[in-house]
Amino acid sequence: MHSQPDFVFRGHRAAVNAVHFFAGDRILASGDQDGVLILWSMPLKRQLVAVPDAHSAAILAVGSAGANTVVSQGRDDVLKIWALSADAFGGSLQLAASLPVDSMTFCRFSIASSAAGAWVAALEKAGSGSAFVYDVAHGTRRTFSVARASGTRMGSREDAPTCLRLTARDDGCLDLHVGYEGTAVRHYRLDTSPAAGEPALVWEAQTAHQEPIMGVDVDAASECVYTCAADGQVCCIAAGPSGAPEVRAAGALPSPGAAEIRCFESPPLVAVAGWDYAVHLFTRDLAPAGTVRFHRAALTSVDMSAQSAEPLPGDADDLAQQRWRARPQWLAVASRDARVSLWGAGNVTSAR
């Protein structure tokens, strides 16, 4: 267990609900319960840009499409695309697009990028199972259904989608994994061409969860799907011997409740932001790999820097470039205690 982070960002005055690294790890974005969006300079460990009224209600999620486009989603049922203009010491965000969403106040958008472009997936009308994918470069929006009926003793009812994960494929298609209130997961495949029809349902699997799924993420290399829920279980879904999806492994949190699950490629870890104030780390097979505990309130979001080889902008001197190349890989943790903590990934994983 690790209890002291390498650094703490304290610029928020309300619960921090989301964190995200982008721009070659140079910037960390965070959004809070008051609708404040902050971009932090990672080389300087200070605020780069702050938008006090980015949303009229709590920010649920933040992301990026390249180094100069920021995406945020609020409980005001608006998803915003921002154009970033910044140098090493400051900058500004200008609103480029604003999209209506219906997230039931907790289902976060998901963004996928590739050499071909960037796309954002979100719920359009959660009650009807309507979702959309927005092409950031072209400004086009495609709506489709991810509705699922769930059988109960009282008959069939709508099984509400609760979380999404969008990933880009090498063949130009997109994969969308959807977690549901009834504890099922569906995998859809979307063609990104203008003439594409409804997405194809690749598979559906029932997880071992006893409560609605709160988070889903994908290990693209192995095609394993990881889920967390309010029940304290963590599940891994992968193809079984017959090729059909099945629960390959299940892990358990010390206490019920998780806000987000993330699967990182390097180091190969699964991280869960727990309601018990701790990040719980697992191997890809969901064997316990460590715990990170520092915050004084429930955790909401985690992200890992990619250790990009991209240098600092050309006006940075040789010493700054040298320090940047020697930086540790960061694990960022957001909490309802209004703080964001930074942990050296090598430190939190060395005890495994």
Side-chain angles (χ1 to χ4, degrees), residues 109-324:
F109 76 85
S110 183
I111 190 164
S113 299
S114 71
W119 301 266
V120 179
L123 294 183
E124 183 176 63
K125 294 182 180 179
S128 65
S130 177
F132 70 86
V133 165
Y134 178 78
D135 187 322
V136 177
H138 298 94
T140 56
R141 174 173 170 146
R142 174 185 167 199
T143 302
F144 52 89
S145 176
V146 292
R148 179 182 183 274
S150 178
T152 70
R153 287 178 295 179
M154 303 298 293
S156 180
R157 70 173 183 86
E158 184 68 27
D159 191 2
T162 52
C163 53
L164 311 169
R165 182 64 69 190
L166 187 70
T167 52
R169 294 171 51 86
D170 293 338
D171 60 6
C173 292
L174 301 173
D175 280 339
L176 179 66
H177 290 82
V178 184
Y180 290 85
E181 182 182 12
T183 73
V185 173
R186 278 185 168 183
H187 173 193
Y188 292 93
R189 184 153 297 155
L190 294 81
D191 188 338
T192 57
S193 65
E198 284 287 300
L201 177 60
V202 181
W203 55 255
E204 176 178 327
Q206 193 67 39
T207 67
H209 294 295
Q210 302 300 314
E211 298 287 344
I213 298 175
M214 300 299 293
V216 59
D217 203 0
V218 180
D219 174 14
S222 66
E223 298 187 347
C224 292
V225 178
Y226 295 89
T227 59
C228 67
D231 58 6
Q233 293 192 77
V234 182
C235 292
C236 171
I237 302 169
S242 66
E246 60 182 33
V247 176
R248 177 181 292 180
L253 303 177
S255 303
E260 186 176 52
I261 188 167
R262 295 296 310 280
C263 179
F264 301 116
E265 181 178 348
S266 179
L269 287 173
V270 175
V272 179
W275 294 351
D276 62 352
Y277 311 176
V279 178
H280 301 283
L281 302 174
F282 297 88
T283 66
R284 296 290 178 85
D285 293 328
L286 296 184
T291 304
V292 175
R293 187 181 296 275
F294 163 75
H295 291 277
R296 299 174 181 174
L299 304 187
T300 55
S301 182
V302 293
D303 197 19
M304 186 88 76
S305 63
Q307 286 305 91
S308 170
E310 181 181 333
L312 296 177
D315 55 353
D317 60 31
D318 291 343
L319 180 58
Q321 296 285 11
Q322 182 179 354
R323 288 175 174 172
W324 182 245

Side-chain angles (χ1 to χ4, degrees), residues 26 28 30 33 49 89 92 104 139 145 176 188 193 207 234 267 312 328:
R26 291 183 290 107
L28 176 70
S30 58
Q33 193 73 13
V49 181
F89 303 102
S92 63
M104 299 189 298
S145 176
L176 179 66
Y188 292 93
S193 65
T207 67
V234 182
L312 296 177

